[in-house]
Amino acid sequence: MKNRITNLFSTKNKGILSVFYTAGFPNMDSTVTIAKLLDQSGADIIEIGIPFSDPVADGPTIQQSNKIALDNGMSVKLLIEQVKEIRKQNVKVPIILMGYLNPVMQYGIEKFVKDAAEAGADGLILPDMPLYEYEEHYKSLFEANNLCNTFLISPTTSEERIKRIDSLTKGFIYAVSASSTTGAKNTFADEQVQYFEKLNGMSLINPFLIGFGISNNHTFSKASEYSAGAIVGSAFINLLKDSKDLDTDILNFVKQLKG
Amino acid sequence: MNYKVNDRGYYGNFGGAYIPEMLYPNVEELRNNYLKIISEEGFKKEFYDLLKNYVGRPSPLYFAGRLSQKHSTKIYLKREDLCHTGSHKINNTIGQILVAKRLGKQKIIAETGAGQHGVATATVCALIGMECTVYMGKVDMERQKPNVERMRILGAKVVPALSGNMTLKDATNEAMRHWINNPTDTHYIIGSVVGPHPYPDMVARFQSVISEEIKKQLEEQEGNPYPDYVFACVGGGSNAAGAFFNFLDDEHVNLVAVEAAGKGINSGESAATTALGKPGVLHGSKTLLIQTEDGQVIEPYSISAGLDYPGIGPIHSHLFEVGRAKFVSATDDEAMDAGIGLSKLEGIIPAVESAHAIAALDQFQFDKDDIVVVNLSGRGDKDLETYIRWGKY
């Protein structure tokens, strides 16, 4: 079977919207509901976060969603079951699981890769896994299970390292828009745009999506000018936190972002 | 057996640099430069000059006669409690601020639990003239008010960490987030042998002055540089790393690391990492970690704010795994009794952290000719309130 992520990028290279949310937030069973609604609303990729007690790369919004999810009893084991359920409910878009290494390590990295793929996930993002560790221990495992692997790059990542990351990536690269933790921002500064231009000009093997600070149609379409699309996280979590009517709110959110 | 870090930053199965990409350039800059910087003659001269004239080193190695009598052996106390600012923490902050200066950094951030590392960082920032921000859990700020004010008097900004349980682990998270957001002009002075490589090695090297001096001082006083035992308490483990460092390859020297058992190892309120932890990844390194089955970090507990960290430095996980150091623990009760006992026997009120190392002496049967060194990592002034609340003196 073809991987849904590589499939998507082979048919579409502009305006891809990936939406991130934390598994088990705001309620334990929200994981499945939200995936269905995002699929129906026209999101291109669903990125589900694995909650962790110490999310050092995240700003307050995602930190809080992690805490609530853990208080709800969320775990890696339950997430695998929820991904199965999402696929059972006929959600067709690519699913990526993203999380800090420790919970995955305790589940067992090999077991996690196999179980995630079997449940219907298409890719993983483990931001604190070192490149050499992936290359030496897990690359073949990911390949054998037909899972994409995405690494992050940031404005301070050297060109040499970007190329190395590109060579180890399957699917797409996650370009962090600024030297910052996660969080919604309204606009991009000039140096951010220059950084996107630089990436765009590097003729990388893989497409890249821009994440961190994407919150509205302005930032989404600006990011899309230089990349295959963008990832929205904190702005979506904020919506989930306050929403009284998920069906309508998610539909409007995706529509408004894509413009 | 090799006990030093390898070129990838591992001690056996532990260590490494498990960091998100946003931190990679900062950590890589440090990794590429730290060994070069600290081996420069100019650096060494400045470092040792400050240790001597500013910190007050060498710290005495004091033969504790009455304590020795109690244990029917020869016990020496390495008096890190006499260092400027009251603990060994300053050895590391002096070293790191000199590194930061040479890397061209203008701002310093740090995390602190009890406030000792925060004070030691604020002190060197005042000394060198750098802007200093210290993250401290809100709960710890309330528990350690005098240290908060000491930092402020020294000119540092103290920022409350409001996430999680608002203690040391969360202060460390906040400091890392600050560093992610300020990657170029800021150096993060980590206070223990934890964090991504090269921190554990760099901090251990700066603290290794402790065992360097012990060797010299024992040679002078006993005619033999090697003790039979070295005792040190372990939270993250920087004083232990420093006290063990120059004895690691001398296998006949017994190294004893003392963890905080809190209210008892199985009480659910403990910080005894080797007894309760499993390998995991936190704050950038792979190490033993107190955590749930699902890999969520558990908030540890000890009466001593300097020992309630959920992990230990990767060097200690390695020393534990290969059996080079013996890991024991002392409960709150045992440590407090030992602290009061030392006060009455020797006229030294130890930090509650260091009192754990003293307490562990009771668990050993020594020969009368054994030479036992206990690293007295800090003084008890900061713990006066804890002693008063404890009351049994």
Side-chain angles (χ1 to χ4, degrees), chain B residues 51-120:
Chain B
L51 288 186
K52 179 171 177 233
N53 298 309
Y54 187 71
V55 175
R57 302 204 74 91
S59 67
L61 185 71
Y62 161 70
F63 177 70
R66 302 223 307 146
L67 183 67
S68 294
Q69 227 166 34
K70 184 188 163 198
H71 290 278
S72 311
T73 192
K74 286 155 91 174
I75 300 176
Y76 285 87
L77 301 178
K78 180 60 174 163
R79 300 292 309 275
E80 293 300 300
D81 60 318
L82 295 177
C83 290
H84 180 39
T85 72
S87 81
H88 71 291
K89 290 287 183 192
I90 189 116
N91 303 329
N92 168 48
T93 59
I94 295 255
Q96 283 204 49
I97 199 141
L98 296 180
V99 169
K101 204 169 84 174
R102 282 162 175 79
L103 289 173
K105 306 289 177 180
Q106 292 109 44
K107 294 175 184 170
I108 296 294
I109 52 166
E111 84 296 335
T112 197
Q116 288 307 96
H117 173 60
V119 168

Side-chain angles (χ1 to χ4, degrees), chain B residues 155-365:
Chain B
K157 188 173 149 199
V158 184
V159 182
L162 302 171
S163 56
N165 288 302
M166 300 187 262
T167 60
L168 175 58
K169 168 173 86 75
D170 313 294
T172 309
N173 291 342
E174 291 304 330
M176 288 194 158
R177 287 178 186 124
H178 181 114
W179 209 22
I180 287 172
N181 284 286
N182 300 274
T184 46
D185 62 352
T186 302
H187 175 71
Y188 176 18
I189 299 188
I190 294 185
S192 192
V193 287
V194 302
H197 176 65
Y199 276 104
D201 183 50
M202 181 170 67
V203 176
R205 282 168 189 263
F206 290 143
Q207 293 295 359
S208 71
V209 66
I210 299 172
S211 47
E212 192 184 306
E213 289 175 4
I214 293 173
K215 262 184 150 169
K216 255 187 239 156
Q217 291 164 322
L218 274 183
E219 173 79 66
E220 283 163 21
Q221 297 180 48
E222 289 284 341
N224 170 11
Y226 300 108
D228 295 292
Y229 293 87
V230 179
F231 281 72
C233 63
V234 172
S238 70
N239 92 78
F244 295 168
F245 198 86
N246 289 291
F247 298 116
L248 287 171
D249 296 327
D250 304 307
E251 308 264 352
H252 58 284
V253 178
N254 295 294
L255 307 175
V256 183
V258 187
E259 296 181 309
K263 295 185 177 167
I265 286 176
N266 297 312
S267 65
E269 291 180 85
S270 175
T273 304
T274 57
L276 299 168
K278 283 180 302 173
V281 167
L282 181 70
H283 297 147
S285 68
K286 190 186 277 182
T287 194
L288 292 172
L289 195 58
I290 305 178
Q291 54 182 318
T292 67
E293 225 171 272
D294 296 327
Q296 308 302 336
V297 181
I298 294 174
E299 191 69 27
Y301 163 82
S302 162
I303 193 165
S304 143
L307 300 181
D308 63 356
Y309 185 71
I312 48 175
I315 183 172
H316 294 301
S317 294
H318 180 55
L319 295 178
F320 172 72
E321 190 175 73
V322 300
R324 174 64 189 95
K326 188 171 167 59
F327 281 72
V328 300
S329 66
T331 62
D332 288 358
D333 291 4
E334 290 161 349
M336 293 309 292
D337 283 347
I340 288 160
L342 187 72
S343 307
K344 300 217 186 294
L345 270 182
E346 297 289 350
I348 298 169
I349 305 175
V352 174
E353 289 81 4
S354 320
H356 285 72
I358 301 287
L361 292 171
D362 288 339
Q363 301 171 25
F364 287 76
Q365 230 13 71

Side-chain angles (χ1 to χ4, degrees), chain A residues 126-191:
Chain A
L126 304 168
D128 52 354
M129 179 187 273
L131 288 189
Y132 60 80
E133 189 151 326
Y134 174 71
E135 190 173 20
E136 289 163 25
H137 300 296
Y138 302 113
K139 189 164 180 282
S140 52
L141 178 72
F142 274 63
E143 284 164 0
N145 287 279
N146 195 25
L147 272 191
C148 287
N149 184 40
T150 285
F151 289 106
L152 272 55
I153 58 174
S154 90
T156 49
T157 308
S158 69
E159 277 198 32
E160 191 192 342
R161 187 168 162 84
I162 292 173
K163 284 180 183 149
R164 181 162 143 69
I165 286 171
D166 190 30
S167 74
L168 288 172
T169 296
K170 191 182 161 212
F172 68 94
I173 293 171
Y174 190 137
V176 173
S177 70
S179 301
S180 74
T181 44
T182 57
K185 306 223 169 50
N186 290 324
T187 182
F188 290 127
D190 290 347
E191 72 260 21

Side-chain angles (χ1 to χ4, degrees), chain A residues 66-111:
Chain A
N66 275 245
K67 187 172 185 318
I68 291 170
L70 291 175
D71 290 345
N72 288 339
M74 195 61 212
S75 70
V76 175
K77 213 184 278 174
L78 287 167
L79 175 58
I80 297 287
E81 293 309 310
Q82 291 177 336
V83 173
K84 281 185 199 160
E85 183 59 29
I86 292 169
R87 288 301 183 208
K88 232 187 250 166
Q89 307 247 353
N90 226 11
V91 170
K92 293 274 195 286
V93 293
I95 294 174
I96 295 171
L97 305 182
M98 176 171 187
Y100 295 87
L101 196 53
N102 197 53
V104 173
M105 224 175 111
Q106 302 313 316
Y107 186 86
I109 297 178
E110 269 185 50
K111 182 170 154 53

Side-chain angles (χ1 to χ4, degrees), chain B residues 148-165:
Chain B
V148 174
E149 298 312 320
R150 281 168 87 191
M151 288 185 267
R152 287 180 175 148
I153 289 169
L154 292 160
K157 188 173 149 199
V158 184
V159 182
L162 302 171
S163 56
N165 288 302

Side-chain angles (χ1 to χ4, degrees), chain A:
Chain A
M1 197 179 111
K2 257 198 115 177
N3 182 289
R4 293 182 194 87
I5 297 170
T6 47
N7 216 13
L8 170 70
F9 282 95
S10 69
T11 53
K12 192 170 174 182
N13 60 11
K14 277 283 152 213
I16 291 175
L17 173 65
S18 179
V19 181
F20 171 94
Y21 63 97
T22 305
F25 172 86
N27 304 303
M28 180 69 102
D29 50 9
S30 307
T31 318
V32 177
T33 319
I34 294 167
K36 264 169 59 187
L37 292 171
L38 280 172
D39 184 39
Q40 288 160 12
S41 306
D44 299 291
I45 300 175
I46 296 172
E47 230 176 85
I48 308 176
I50 304 164
F52 182 44
S53 52
D54 296 84
V56 288
D58 286 299
T61 304
I62 294 179
Q63 282 173 45
Q64 209 208 355
S65 70
N66 275 245
K67 187 172 185 318
I68 291 170
L70 291 175
D71 290 345
N72 288 339
M74 195 61 212
S75 70
V76 175
K77 213 184 278 174
L78 287 167
L79 175 58
I80 297 287
E81 293 309 310
Q82 291 177 336
V83 173
K84 281 185 199 160
E85 183 59 29
I86 292 169
R87 288 301 183 208
K88 232 187 250 166
Q89 307 247 353
N90 226 11
V91 170
K92 293 274 195 286
V93 293
I95 294 174
I96 295 171
L97 305 182
M98 176 171 187
Y100 295 87
L101 196 53
N102 197 53
V104 173
M105 224 175 111
Q106 302 313 316
Y107 186 86
I109 297 178
E110 269 185 50
K111 182 170 154 53
F112 180 72
V113 169
K114 284 181 190 148
D115 290 356
E118 207 177 283
D122 304 283
L124 300 182
I125 309 177
L126 304 168
D128 52 354
M129 179 187 273
L131 288 189
Y132 60 80
E133 189 151 326
Y134 174 71
E135 190 173 20
E136 289 163 25
H137 300 296
Y138 302 113
K139 189 164 180 282
S140 52
L141 178 72
F142 274 63
E143 284 164 0
N145 287 279
N146 195 25
L147 272 191
C148 287
N149 184 40
T150 285
F151 289 106
L152 272 55
I153 58 174
S154 90
T156 49
T157 308
S158 69
E159 277 198 32
E160 191 192 342
R161 187 168 162 84
I162 292 173
K163 284 180 183 149
R164 181 162 143 69
I165 286 171
D166 190 30
S167 74
L168 288 172
T169 296
K170 191 182 161 212
F172 68 94
I173 293 171
Y174 190 137
V176 173
S177 70
S179 301
S180 74
T181 44
T182 57
K185 306 223 169 50
N186 290 324
T187 182
F188 290 127
D190 290 347
E191 72 260 21
Q192 288 176 283
V193 172
Q194 282 160 22
Y195 159 64
F196 303 154
E197 278 171 346
K198 180 185 100 173
L199 286 180
N200 201 13
M202 275 183 73
S203 334
L204 299 170
I205 310 160
N206 291 281
F208 64 96
L209 297 180
I210 294 171
F212 286 32
I214 313 285
S215 66
N216 49 26
N217 176 254
H218 169 73
T219 39
F220 178 73
S221 50
K222 191 82 193 165
S224 300
E225 277 177 41
Y226 305 95
S227 68
I231 303 160
V232 182
S234 296
F236 186 63
I237 304 268
N238 279 330
L239 174 95
L240 296 178
K241 200 170 60 187
D242 302 331
S243 175
K244 303 248 164 355
D245 176 5
L246 280 183
D247 293 44
T248 320
D249 288 347
I250 291 179
L251 188 69
N252 287 341
F253 182 84
V254 171
K255 213 156 100 193
Q256 177 264 332
L257 263 172
K258 287 191 137 183

